[in-house]
Amino acid sequence: MQTEYRHILQKLELLKPSEYAKNRNYIDGDVSKLSPYISRGVISTKQVFEYVLSLDYPFYKIEKFVQELAWRDYWQQIWINKGTLINYDLKNKQEGVKNYLIPKAIIEGKTSIKAVDDSIADFYESGYIHNHVRMYIASLCCNIGRCHWKLPAKWMYYHLLDADWASNALSWQWVCGSNSNKLYFANQDNINKYCHTNQKNSFIDIEYHQFNDLKIPSELSELKDLKLTSSLPKITNKIITYSDKPTLIYNFYNLDPQWKKNIDANRILLIEPSVFENYPISNKSMEFMIELSKNIKNIQIYVGEFKQLNEIIDKSDIYYKEHPLNSNYKGNKDKRDWMFPVDGNFSSFFKYWKTCKKYIK
């Protein structure tokens, strides 16, 4: 995965927003693959949105692409408004739960559904998985395997380079019905269509009405518990700060190299053990964060809690970007670069989107 800022910006030039609506559900469709950089705060949804608008397409041709960008902001708005409630069944109690584990076949990529298993194998290598396949996996775990969504969602978040807890947790809940009004299912014909396979006779090679009576298949019956942990960088924490300069705090969700880039400041990537204990990530994801941080001139890394860091730099003015995981920060809080000046608690995405569209000229 590319990590140099100039190469990340070049990826914008590869966007095909008018094609997105036509083929986004296909595993080889014209998706942007910008989500790892948006999730890490290297670029913003607003930045991508403004670039797409500059291409002068008729809006109806790019509306679906813009709408998908807005989903990311929407999930974040829910996290801001609901806080840690998103870690639990948000709107409805997940029905039919038989366990709070994860199918071993999901972890090992041995579900017997070829397109899913191939995607899981690639997932471990690349840290990326197509959004439609994420939904397939969530449906297999929750709606067919009868697992509660939380542990499988943490497994996926752990390995994703675009790890965004709001988008991930709330999407899993959307699939299993705890954040929606119905369960999402995909049968073999659907998977064959969008993944270009021709598999037959699998346990999901059925009509949709048959899902109501489908028992947990043997392929998903063996379960595992997971103890996911993050390996934090081993560094000395001997940072150098100057009290006559402001201190800018970067973190897993803010690695924006353009943020206040023209001011003389102490710039620190804060890696808080408590955050990664609650929301663990893989070594690949940790390394990705650190490589992306190198786009920020003179960045220093500090592994520890904000309170500890604050004791070292207590005479410096502290600045940070707003995020739900930053509630313990003290100092000057900057707003993130949202696509639209819209915030608040919206009961559905489409109510949120309807409000956002008022700002599109």
Side-chain angles (χ1 to χ4, degrees):
M1 181 69 70
Q2 187 57 250
T3 56
E4 285 188 47
Y5 188 66
R6 62 189 178 91
H7 291 145
I8 294 168
L9 293 183
Q10 287 171 1
K11 290 179 180 292
L12 292 173
E13 300 171 9
L14 302 176
L15 291 177
K16 297 179 181 178
S18 64
E19 298 299 312
Y20 178 82
K22 303 174 190 175
N23 59 31
R24 67 192 175 95
N25 289 336
Y26 289 89
I27 201 166
D28 58 350
D30 288 302
V31 296
S32 72
K33 294 193 177 179
L34 292 173
S35 57
Y37 310 111
I38 294 172
S39 298
R40 300 288 65 78
V42 178
I43 57 177
S44 66
T45 51
K46 181 180 180 181
Q47 188 175 354
V48 180
F49 171 54
E50 290 179 344
Y51 176 80
V52 170
L53 287 184
S54 76
L55 301 177
D56 287 332
Y57 287 102
F59 187 71
Y60 74 90
K61 287 191 173 184
I62 61 171
E63 181 170 3
K64 179 54 69 174
F65 182 86
V66 173
Q67 197 175 67
E68 289 303 308
L69 280 177
W71 268 101
R72 286 198 165 267
D73 281 7
Y74 172 67
W75 293 137
Q76 286 290 316
Q77 287 289 339
I78 293 180
W79 198 2
I80 289 169
N81 282 277
K82 299 296 186 180
T84 56
L85 289 177
I86 72 166
N87 297 343
Y88 308 94
D89 294 358
L90 190 61
K91 291 182 178 178
N92 311 303
K93 184 176 177 59
Q94 183 183 338
E95 296 182 0
V97 173
K98 300 292 186 184
N99 67 82
Y100 287 77
L101 304 173
I102 182 172
K104 183 180 179 183
I106 293 292
I107 299 169
E108 296 181 350
K110 295 180 179 178
T111 67
S112 79
I113 310 300
K114 178 175 169 33
V116 170
D117 293 345
D118 288 348
S119 292
I120 291 172
D122 181 68
F123 178 38
Y124 286 134
E125 288 293 319
S126 67
Y128 170 80
I129 196 162
H130 187 280
N131 186 60
H132 228 50
V133 180
R134 299 182 199 201
M135 294 165 63
Y136 296 155
I137 292 171
S139 184
L140 289 174
C141 285
C142 301
N143 302 338
I144 298 176
R146 300 293 183 179
C147 302
H148 188 264
W149 65 268
K150 181 75 175 288
L151 183 60
K154 290 183 73 172
W155 162 80
M156 184 172 282
Y157 177 89
Y158 184 80
H159 293 286
L160 284 169
L161 292 188
D162 67 6
D164 174 338
W165 182 243
S167 176
N168 189 62
L170 293 169
S171 293
W172 275 78
Q173 292 195 57
W174 185 88
V175 167
C176 75
S178 62
N179 187 34
S180 62
N181 296 321
K182 62 180 181 178
L183 308 185
Y184 170 83
F185 289 100
N187 67 8
Q188 188 66 61
D189 284 344
N190 179 291
I191 292 175
N192 285 344
K193 175 181 178 180
Y194 291 113
C195 297
H196 308 300
T197 53
N198 56 8
Q199 187 172 358
K200 299 293 182 183
N201 301 318
S202 69
F203 61 83
I204 55 170
D205 193 12
I206 58 178
E207 299 298 323
Y208 279 97
H209 69 86
Q210 294 177 279
F211 279 109
N212 295 328
D213 300 316
L214 184 64
K215 306 298 182 185
I216 298 175
S218 59
E219 291 90 339
L220 301 179
S221 61
E222 188 174 354
L223 304 170
K224 280 194 73 173
D225 197 359
L226 287 180
K227 303 300 181 186
L228 300 169
T229 59
S230 302
S231 295
L232 303 181
K234 293 178 173 60
I235 59 174
T236 63
N237 274 354
K238 290 182 179 178
I239 60 172
I240 300 172
T241 60
Y242 299 92
S243 60
D244 60 336
K245 297 180 183 180
T247 296
L248 307 187
I249 305 296
Y250 300 80
N251 55 40
F252 187 59
Y253 283 93
N254 172 30
L255 295 171
D256 180 3
Q258 299 298 304
W259 179 46
K260 300 184 186 296
K261 71 173 185 177
N262 294 322
I263 69 170
D264 189 14
N266 305 305
R267 299 177 189 272
I268 298 174
L269 169 57
L270 176 60
I271 300 177
E272 290 190 287
S274 61
V275 169
F276 295 100
E277 182 178 349
N278 292 324
Y279 303 92
I281 62 172
S282 67
N283 290 344
K284 187 186 294 287
S285 189
M286 186 71 71
E287 290 165 5
F288 184 61
M289 170 182 64
I290 291 171
E291 286 301 309
L292 287 172
S293 75
K294 293 177 182 177
N295 291 300
I296 302 164
K297 189 176 180 180
N298 298 324
I299 191 78
Q300 300 180 80
I301 298 176
Y302 184 86
V303 179
E305 300 302 317
F306 175 84
K307 183 178 180 181
Q308 297 169 306
L309 176 63
N310 196 29
E311 291 172 355
I312 298 172
I313 57 173
D314 64 340
K315 294 190 182 212
S316 173
D317 284 336
I318 293 174
Y319 290 83
Y320 61 94
K321 279 193 181 184
E322 171 277 324
H323 191 272
L325 294 182
N326 297 352
S327 60
N328 59 316
Y329 288 16
K330 306 294 181 185
N332 303 285
K333 180 167 63 177
D334 286 359
K335 289 195 74 170
R336 279 181 277 172
D337 296 323
W338 302 101
M339 290 173 66
F340 305 101
V342 177
D343 53 26
N345 185 19
F346 292 85
S347 59
S348 73
F349 171 76
F350 293 101
K351 289 182 180 179
Y352 173 76
W353 177 241
K354 185 177 179 180
T355 305
C356 291
K357 283 189 73 173
K358 297 176 183 178
Y359 294 92
I360 298 175
K361 297 179 182 178

